[in-house]
Amino acid sequence: MDASDLLRGALLQLSESDAVRRAVVAAPVSRAVVDRYVAGEAVEDAVSTTADLRATNRLATIDHLGEDVTDRQQAAHTRDTYIALLGALTEADLARYGAAEVSVKLSAVGQSIPRDGDAIALENARAVCEAAERAGTTVTLDMEDHTTTDRTLETVRALRADFPWVGAVLQAYLHRTEADCRDLAGEGSRVRLCKGAYKEPESVAFQDGTDVDLSYVRCLKVLMAGDGYPMVATHDPRLVEIAQALAGHHDRRPDSYELQMLLGIRDLEQKRIADRGHQMRVYVPFGRDWYGYLVRRLAERPANVRFFLRSLTSRG
């Protein structure tokens, strides 16, 4: 395990610390820190950022930040925020044909509520899917820590009975993911493949960055050879090149898969990819609950830590 892997582990540990969360959120952080990675706090901010992306031929998937909700009212509020967002995207003519879709964490819409969490999350996610269908776009269910993987995939299957376009997310650092890719690579199946952004035990996840990359490539091979719609979520230039080479090998049309990157990371490369006629979708988070998201993004790309620390101590 090299230094970057150790730093990633330390950052993921920080993402789970309530004490550190309180200290960082209360600190006089320059708005540049959050603004680089988060569209803003309101629906209008997310719509504005999406319009800017569309002006440069990029697509968007929008996430209302928040997770591990244990209150029914808060889960309903998150559901209603997504429905309002989809309505606003429709009014701005940004939703049709999947130009902008939404990403939903099931723990944000009730999965973590004791006893009835899975049923509540399914009901709320279904309401978001209904709004997305009216808007002419799609929904992708984000994946969280490994303890929720089976429950999340079960919800995906339940929703696909009525909304076959619901997307699933698989995380390459989990030992199980190559097998999950084989299960989900069928016709019409939308699957986002990412490396993974949670601190997981060695028993279920690869710990070394090289092992994660090798798993990612194995999973890519399965998805590109399948009949589904791969969504390749990575900032790694090597993996982007491999994904495009595999797509060519399997005679995939440019509209039969897409590349995905996060808002604020490799912006020029995103534009270059879009300008070359490839589908580039940007993950656009918005909302007040940015801390966990931001720290996990730093863990994925430790080079951003220096930028973050400078901003923490700035007074601008």
Side-chain angles (χ1 to χ4, degrees):
M1 184 177 294
D2 61 22
S4 63
D5 291 325
L6 292 171
L7 178 57
R8 179 178 183 276
L11 287 168
L12 290 176
Q13 195 72 44
L14 287 177
S15 74
E16 300 171 356
S17 169
D18 288 337
V20 175
R21 175 193 296 265
R22 289 192 296 271
V24 172
V25 171
V29 183
S30 167
R31 282 304 306 177
V33 178
V34 180
D35 290 347
R36 176 169 174 171
Y37 302 101
V38 178
E41 295 187 354
V43 164
E44 293 77 11
D45 299 321
V47 173
S48 176
T49 297
T50 300
D52 291 342
L53 292 170
R54 290 301 296 137
T56 55
N57 298 315
R58 287 175 285 178
L59 311 173
T61 183
I62 307 172
D63 169 32
H64 181 241
L65 293 170
E67 54 196 81
D68 297 327
V69 169
T70 57
D71 178 79
R72 280 177 177 262
Q73 288 186 331
Q74 182 59 44
H77 174 73
T78 300
R79 175 202 65 205
D80 293 344
T81 299
Y82 273 109
I83 293 172
L85 170 64
L86 287 160
L89 290 170
T90 300
E91 290 181 6
D93 197 25
L94 292 170
R96 288 186 299 169
Y97 314 118
E101 63 138 39
V102 297
S103 288
V104 178
K105 286 183 174 62
L106 289 178
S107 76
V109 292
Q111 189 184 61
S112 301
I113 294 174
R115 292 186 299 278
D116 298 326
D118 288 331
I120 294 168
L122 175 59
E123 179 183 2
N124 286 331
R126 186 178 297 279
V128 176
C129 288
E130 290 169 349
E133 189 165 66
R134 291 193 297 270
T137 190
T138 55
V139 176
T140 297
L141 297 188
D142 276 337
M143 194 61 74
E144 301 179 68
D145 72 86
H146 81 278
T147 64
T148 65
T149 300
D150 285 325
R151 294 158 60 200
T152 298
L153 291 179
E154 182 57 37
T155 301
V156 169
R157 285 188 284 269
L159 289 170
R160 282 183 174 180
D162 296 313
F163 311 101
W165 39 257
V166 169
V169 177
L170 297 177
Q171 302 175 106
Y173 67 175
L174 296 181
H175 298 156
R176 61 175 288 170
T177 298
E178 186 176 354
D180 286 333
C181 285
R182 296 186 190 282
D183 290 340
L184 289 169
E187 184 176 358
S189 177
R190 298 172 58 250
V191 178
R192 177 193 298 155
L193 180 65
C194 63
K195 289 188 178 182
Y198 292 81
K199 185 173 177 59
E200 301 286 14
E202 188 174 357
S203 59
V204 301
F206 298 108
Q207 304 297 304
D208 183 80
T210 299
D211 290 334
V212 175
D213 288 350
L214 290 173
S215 175
Y216 197 102
V217 174
R218 291 193 300 271
C219 293
L220 265 182
K221 289 179 178 178
V222 173
L223 294 175
M224 287 295 183
D227 297 321
Y229 181 83
M231 301 181 286
V232 184
T234 181
H235 306 101
D236 188 328
R238 297 168 302 167
L239 295 179
V240 170
E241 289 180 7
I242 290 170
Q244 292 175 323
L246 288 170
H249 177 74
H250 292 288
D251 296 321
R252 281 186 168 271
R253 302 185 315 273
D255 63 352
S256 70
Y257 74 102
E258 66 185 43
L259 300 167
Q260 296 189 355
M261 294 186 185
L262 300 171
L263 182 69
I265 297 181
R266 301 195 72 201
D267 188 68
L268 292 178
E269 179 65 6
Q270 292 177 18
K271 293 176 182 176
R272 184 189 70 81
I273 290 171
D275 287 343
R276 291 189 174 185
H278 297 285
Q279 295 198 107
M280 166 54 64
R281 191 177 300 275
V282 181
Y283 192 93
V284 178
F286 79 102
R288 296 182 179 180
D289 192 9
W290 51 262
Y291 172 78
Y293 171 84
L294 179 60
V295 176
R296 287 195 294 272
R297 298 298 76 78
L298 295 174
E300 288 177 344
R301 191 173 171 81
N304 289 326
V305 173
R306 185 178 302 172
F307 168 83
F308 180 64
L309 293 178
R310 280 202 310 266
S311 300
L312 279 177
T313 58
S314 71
R315 295 181 179 275

